[in-house]
Amino acid sequence: MKGFVLRVGAGFFAALLISSSAMASMVDNQSSLTADFTRMPARTAASDASDASIFNPAGSAWLEEGLHVGVSFKACFKDWQHSRNGETFEADNANFLPPFHSVYRNGRLGLYAAVTAFGGMGKADYDDGFTLGSMPVVHPIAGPMMVDLTFRDKAEFTYVVPGLTTGVSWLLSDSFAVSGGFRVLHGIMEVEIDEGEQLDASMDATGGAPVFGLSWRATDKLDISLRHEMRTKMEYEVDKVEGSHPLVSLVKGVVKEGSKMRRDFPAQTAMGVMYRIAPKWRVAVDGAMAWQKDADRGGEEKGMGNGYYVASGVECDVTPKWTLGAGYIYCDPKDDRDRFPYLTVNPKLKYQVVSAGVKYRYSDTLSLSFSVAPYFYDSCTTPQGIKMEKKTLDVAFGVEWLLK
């Protein structure tokens, strides 16, 4: 019975603490990290800004010599809701993300570094509560029973995975570059229900893994790049489990402070192609795969597929100072919603994105950009009849400097 209670407790806290990303992502990996990505999301082969440190580390070798520094200010406006038996629960708060990215180029050598949130949904506030449906449990005294997991008090969920990626790029020849680096992640998961009275729980984990890249300038018009991020082992340790809800007392003897829950950050492989069809026009296509089935998630990975997204984009230099860009993303996170029906507070839904933006070159060393991207998610209904829906809007402003 202890093992069953452990599974129930793990499922309960996984449902509350662990969610997918709010932005362009598979289940955990977050891609929409910069203003340039929001403008034109096929960035894996792009080498025109310091966010190559995130999307195209080998391609950072093609940047102009000097120190490139970029900062993006991103706002993610949410309208997430789920409903059951005529009752609707909604989160409509906004999250803010300030990614920092940089590249230093000198001769054949390039050094890059970026600090941002590589995964997580940020924060979701359900002011009027939420529901996870009903969960079967075995009480040590009362025996089998159904617990109604509907809360009508304010609930605050936080899941964010900030980190640092850094490494070196090297020009092997005039047409081929490679990169090698390392990424360190720190995952934070927290939930408060009724300001912590019913439930106040948190856990965190730290891990690191290598990141490799290749970039090939096949012709003077065609660039092809590859990025592979190794699987990051993440073992979350429970920092706190408190509250008055009956299920808390049921599982607290097993899932307690110091308990550990494995949820690796999946490996990801991305490949991109950029083609300059004319001096002022560029088109690009990307594809990325998150190897979720190979990431240890305490058995959860057995019910998941390998998530993927495809992206396309176009850019035009309408004047020497102004560039317009637009793009499209289709993403399927490849989770099994029948197996994990409790993730209602941030469901993992298929989505499509359209994006557009503008970049302004104020001078030879300073550029400004602004972009927007609405996300259109498929709805989903769980076996318990909970309908889950999401809408998200990204708005981003970016600044890029070149220090020679």
Side-chain angles (χ1 to χ4, degrees):
M1 182 172 67
K2 179 179 179 180
F4 183 81
V5 173
L6 175 60
R7 290 195 297 273
V8 170
F12 175 59
F13 288 109
L16 295 178
L17 291 168
I18 302 173
S19 301
S20 60
S21 167
M23 303 185 189
S25 67
M26 270 69 82
V27 171
D28 279 311
N29 306 69
Q30 184 164 291
S31 300
S32 116
L33 299 172
T34 69
D36 283 319
F37 183 98
T38 305
R39 181 185 74 249
M40 199 286 286
R43 298 289 296 166
T44 304
S47 55
D48 59 348
S50 60
D51 70 345
S53 57
I54 299 173
F55 302 111
N56 186 15
S60 66
W62 309 120
L63 289 173
E64 185 179 350
E65 290 203 355
L67 175 62
H68 300 256
V69 177
V71 180
S72 296
F73 303 94
K74 290 176 58 65
C76 175
F77 298 95
K78 299 173 181 165
D79 183 6
W80 301 353
Q81 64 180 33
H82 58 280
S83 55
R84 183 188 187 216
N85 298 331
E87 192 172 13
T88 299
F89 306 90
E90 185 176 19
D92 58 2
N93 60 299
N95 288 161
F96 300 93
L97 183 69
F100 169 84
H101 28 95
S102 62
V103 173
Y104 174 71
R105 283 274 296 111
N106 184 13
R108 293 185 176 273
L109 174 67
L111 305 175
Y112 65 86
V115 177
T116 186
F118 289 96
M121 67 175 183
K123 188 176 182 181
D125 294 340
Y126 286 84
D127 291 338
D128 298 318
F130 67 100
T131 183
L132 302 179
S134 300
M135 178 178 287
V137 301
V138 178
H139 194 278
I141 298 177
M145 58 188 300
M146 293 292 292
V147 176
D148 180 18
L149 297 178
T150 298
F151 300 81
R152 292 179 176 83
D153 297 288
K154 182 176 181 179
E156 300 177 3
F157 301 91
T158 301
Y159 173 37
V160 63
V161 189
L164 164 69
T165 184
T166 185
V168 177
S169 61
W170 185 258
L171 280 175
L172 295 178
S173 68
D174 291 338
S175 60
F176 199 76
V178 296
S179 67
F182 198 78
R183 186 175 63 183
V184 178
L185 303 175
H186 181 68
I188 302 168
M189 303 181 188
E190 300 174 346
V191 58
E192 288 188 3
I193 302 174
D194 190 16
E195 297 184 347
E197 290 295 322
Q198 291 196 52
L199 177 65
D200 185 1
S202 63
M203 58 184 179
D204 62 0
T206 301
V211 179
F212 303 102
L214 303 172
S215 185
W216 178 34
R217 292 209 147 166
T219 71
D220 59 350
K221 294 184 176 182
L222 178 65
D223 290 356
I224 302 172
S225 293
L226 176 74
R227 183 186 77 253
H228 181 71
E229 305 161 2
M230 300 287 285
R231 176 181 63 90
T232 305
K233 178 181 176 181
M234 301 288 280
E235 190 168 48
Y236 284 84
E237 182 173 342
V238 177
D239 301 316
K240 177 170 53 177
V241 180
E242 300 174 354
S244 60
H245 192 274
L247 190 56
V248 175
S249 61
L250 177 65
V251 302
K252 193 172 181 180
V254 180
V255 183
K256 54 188 176 181
E257 293 182 12
S259 298
K260 295 185 178 181
M261 187 181 299
R262 185 74 174 268
R263 187 178 179 86
D264 292 350
F265 208 83
Q268 184 175 196
T269 303
M271 183 174 180
V273 176
M274 179 169 284
Y275 186 72
R276 289 170 281 277
I277 58 178
K280 297 181 179 181
W281 287 87
R282 298 172 294 281
V283 294
V285 177
D286 274 13
M289 181 77 74
W291 306 102
Q292 294 163 170
K293 293 184 71 67
D294 298 325
D296 187 345
R297 295 161 178 257
E300 179 185 320
E301 71 279 0
K302 297 177 182 178
M304 302 175 68
N306 292 321
Y308 70 89
Y309 79 81
V310 292
S312 60
V314 60
E315 288 185 315
C316 177
D317 299 325
V318 292
T319 73
K321 286 186 173 291
W322 291 93
T323 295
L324 299 180
Y328 169 81
I329 301 173
Y330 175 82
C331 178
D332 186 348
K334 286 293 182 182
D335 69 315
D336 185 336
R337 297 178 188 87
D338 291 337
R339 184 178 173 88
F340 309 110
Y342 298 114
L343 296 176
T344 59
V345 297
N346 187 15
K348 310 166 189 176
L349 305 176
K350 297 178 184 178
Y351 63 80
Q352 300 179 69
V353 183
V354 292
S355 64
V358 60
K359 190 168 189 175
Y360 174 65
R361 295 171 185 82
Y362 178 80
S363 67
D364 292 340
T365 58
L366 177 63
S367 297
L368 308 173
S369 61
F370 177 78
S371 49
V372 295
Y375 288 68
F376 304 94
Y377 296 84
D378 290 357
S379 62
C380 177
T381 301
T382 74
Q384 293 195 22
I386 303 174
K387 185 177 181 180
M388 301 178 292
E389 301 172 281
K390 294 173 69 173
K391 295 178 182 177
T392 302
L393 175 67
D394 276 5
V395 178
F397 174 75
V399 183
E400 181 91 10
W401 294 274
L402 170 59
L403 306 176
K404 298 183 179 181

